[in-house]
Amino acid sequence: MLVLGIETSCDDTGVALYCTRRGLLAQALHSQIAMHERYGGVVPELASRDHVRRLLPLTEQVLEQAGVALADIDAIAFTEGPGLAGALLVGAGVASSIAFALRKPAIGIHHLEGHLLSPMLSERPPDFPFVALLVSGGHTQLMRVDGVGRYALLGETLDDAAGEAFDKSAKLLGLGYPGGPAIARLAQTGRDGAVALPRPMLHSGDLDFSFSGLKTAVLTAVRRGLPDEQARADLAFAVQAAIVDVLVAKSLAALEASGLGTLVIAGGVSANRRLRDLVALAQAERGFDAHFPAPALCTDNGAMIAFAGALRLAAGQAAVVPSGFTVRPRWQLSELPAPPRA
Ligand code: KG4
Ligand code: ZN
């Protein structure tokens, strides 16, 4: 089965072709970071318009790369939500129109399910069941995953997401958007322990997170004054360390509470080097199994959407030729129905 995947939930236009026999055949991505950078964040209307411009050329590009014709595609998967309404409408509209014209099924995918399943695209895929830490710009959730669509929420952020904490702290430090990679870069020259920041809810005894206090602490430190580049780097180090410490501690607690031995970390923040290193360290100490997506698949992409679509269709989800389409800007992962053979 050959599935075309289309992702347009935020500021990346992603297109990919996934074949259930041959794996990922081609993928293309256009990041809008440069366009949004000067506004310090994503401007929804600009995002939608850029998806309109990029989507068809990127689709042609992946078809050519893979050496397949549009008519060879068996199904089209698109991100139905959550995300920016206008941006989602572009992907859903294009996907459904192509599907309708080809008389092929279209399938709407939950963006976080795409992230969640993306480590399964690697050469050493995790087996169900596992604990998943989903860390993106909009979400921070710990889930128990028993199969495709079989997700139970274990804990989540009560306020800001981990990626948002990186982004907001970066803004306070006068760094560009997105903040995660910018903080990580500056932190490379920062000194461990030079600045102390709180680790919110580290000992709360549950699996929830809170990151909004961190930005207040960063704001206080910035107002106190950062005399030189070293002071800025030290603060960046402290921000990254505080966020990563909490993410790792809660993930370990979730493994313990669930009795599971496999941890999957996905979403934009899973690209973070320190997070990967500290998980590897804990893994060596405790002997659980850890999985991350390939670095190129951590942030938004079309491959994870094509893959999630293929898994759902293979698990018996009804495949219908669309006669219209919907998007769901707000959509809880736990509301998602499992396919018949999940
Ligand atoms: O999954 P994603 O691409 O988009 C959403 O679905 O939100 O995640 C984007 C988030 C941003 O907040 C960005 O700052 C963060 O992921 N991020 C990182 C890194 N790369 C991206 N955070 C920390 N370290 C990184 N290397
Ligand atoms: Zn995402």
Side-chain angles (χ1 to χ4, degrees):
M1 184 170 39
L2 184 61
V3 181
L4 176 70
I6 291 180
E7 154 65 34
T8 63
S9 68
C10 189
D11 58 347
D12 291 297
T13 317
V15 183
L17 274 168
Y18 178 79
C19 169
T20 43
R21 272 184 308 109
R22 295 157 61 206
L24 193 58
L25 300 187
Q27 65 162 324
L29 190 72
H30 179 264
S31 160
Q32 302 176 354
I33 284 176
M35 185 179 78
H36 297 294
E37 206 169 16
R38 70 169 122 153
Y39 305 103
V42 177
V43 183
E45 181 60 22
L46 293 182
S48 314
R49 287 169 189 236
D50 203 54
H51 288 309
V52 170
R53 265 192 299 273
R54 307 286 176 184
L55 200 43
L56 289 178
L58 287 180
T59 304
E60 282 166 5
Q61 192 181 318
V62 297
L63 289 170
E64 198 180 306
Q65 245 179 52
V68 302
L70 204 51
D72 299 333
I73 292 166
D74 297 303
I76 303 180
F78 63 93
T79 305
E80 188 174 334
L84 302 171
L88 290 166
L89 280 169
V90 177
V94 168
S96 304
S97 307
I98 297 175
F100 183 76
L102 295 174
R103 311 305 282 159
K104 298 283 167 73
I107 174 168
I109 296 297
H110 193 295
H111 179 80
L112 292 180
E113 178 170 73
H115 277 303
L116 188 82
L117 301 175
S118 61
M120 295 177 71
L121 271 166
S122 70
E123 275 168 21
R124 194 180 64 87
D127 290 324
F128 298 119
F130 54 77
V131 167
L133 173 68
L134 272 175
V135 268
S136 71
H139 294 83
T140 298
Q141 299 186 326
L142 274 163
M143 323 269 317
R144 179 192 165 103
V145 179
D146 285 288
V148 178
R150 296 175 61 201
Y151 312 129
L153 186 68
L154 302 174
E156 65 182 331
T157 183
L158 304 178
D159 40 58
D160 292 351
E164 201 175 354
F166 271 110
D167 295 338
K168 287 180 174 171
S169 302
K171 217 171 189 171
L172 292 171
L173 269 160
L175 298 171
Y177 166 86
I183 295 252
R185 221 172 298 120
L186 183 57
Q188 280 172 7
T189 49
R191 294 166 301 179
D192 196 354
V195 179
L197 289 179
R199 273 128 180 84
M201 306 203 33
L202 189 58
H203 303 293
S204 61
D206 55 24
L207 298 173
D208 288 334
F209 305 82
S210 164
F211 290 110
S212 66
L214 195 60
K215 83 183 167 248
T216 315
V218 173
L219 181 63
T220 309
V222 170
R223 284 204 177 133
R224 225 183 279 130
L226 297 169
D228 53 22
E229 197 53 23
Q230 185 61 55
R232 283 160 49 79
D234 289 345
L235 184 55
F237 189 99
V239 168
Q240 176 174 255
I243 297 171
V244 168
D245 274 1
V246 178
L247 294 179
V248 173
K250 296 274 173 166
S251 300
L252 298 182
L255 282 174
E256 199 149 303
S258 63
L260 299 179
T262 304
L263 175 66
V264 163
I265 303 191
V269 181
S270 70
N272 188 270
R273 188 72 259 165
R274 185 176 173 89
L275 176 61
R276 287 176 178 241
D277 289 347
L278 290 195
V279 167
L281 216 64
Q283 193 183 359
E285 260 171 31
R286 301 187 180 215
F288 58 90
D289 194 18
H291 297 260
F292 287 87
L297 297 182
C298 287
T299 47
D300 295 347
N301 63 83
M304 66 184 194
I305 302 303
F307 181 63
L311 284 188
R312 282 194 162 262
L313 292 170
Q317 178 156 332
V320 289
V321 177
S323 55
F325 58 86
T326 51
V327 295
R328 301 174 199 241
R330 293 176 162 273
W331 192 10
Q332 292 293 330
L333 192 54
S334 45
E335 289 169 12
L336 208 56
R341 295 187 300 273

